[in-house]
Amino acid sequence: MPSWESKDGVGQFLWLPKSMKNGSLANNSEMKLPTHTGTHLDAPGHVIDRYFDAGFDVDTLDLEVLNAEVMESLKIPKGVRRVLFRTLNTDRRLMFKKEFDTSYVGFMKDGAEWLVKHTDIKLIGIDYLSVAAFDDLIPSHIVFLEGR
């Protein structure tokens, strides 16, 4: 699985901190992962420092927007507040590659602005490590996260 800007994929592997040889009931490995690995969530404080300072982090997000309802339909009816976008990232199987790929599909600032201005969507998901295109990372994030 890729990890943000990593050639080596997922984070540091810690070999067997719990081992049957050391008296544990089972062998358990651990991994140290950055927050931008696999499926993750960006809070307003991710790219807007005043929100970070105010404590608007993932633990303050409204979990009502993160439920199974999102998965029930592929249609986007009027008034929808959550959308998951399946892009060419899936067809290219980017999440199955170890090395981070900067050519993934993501939102540019103008696309983010259009969604914010013309819809009631409050949660956007995409099939790679960032909703924003690599070439437009911070501007797109700010458009999406500014209104919390």
Side-chain angles (χ1 to χ4, degrees), residues 8-94:
D8 299 322
V10 293
Q12 178 184 1
F13 180 70
L14 306 175
W15 183 251
L16 294 176
K18 293 185 179 181
S19 169
M20 293 172 69
K21 290 179 179 59
N22 295 333
S24 295
L25 293 176
N27 293 317
N28 289 308
S29 301
E30 291 182 3
M31 297 177 78
K32 179 180 177 184
L33 302 173
T35 56
H36 275 81
T37 301
T39 301
H40 68 277
L41 191 64
D42 285 342
H46 175 51
V47 294
I48 303 171
D49 208 31
R50 71 180 183 278
Y51 286 158
F52 181 82
D53 292 341
F56 294 119
D57 216 339
V58 273
D59 59 342
T60 66
L61 295 176
D62 179 5
L63 294 182
E64 288 295 314
V65 299
L66 302 174
N67 60 34
E69 181 183 338
V70 175
M71 305 305 278
E72 290 178 7
S73 175
L74 296 177
K75 297 178 183 177
I76 304 175
K78 186 173 180 159
V80 73
R81 296 176 59 90
R82 298 171 292 270
V83 177
L84 301 176
F85 290 92
R86 182 191 185 278
T87 72
L88 291 175
N89 298 331
T90 295
D91 297 339
R92 293 175 57 210
R93 299 181 54 82
L94 295 184

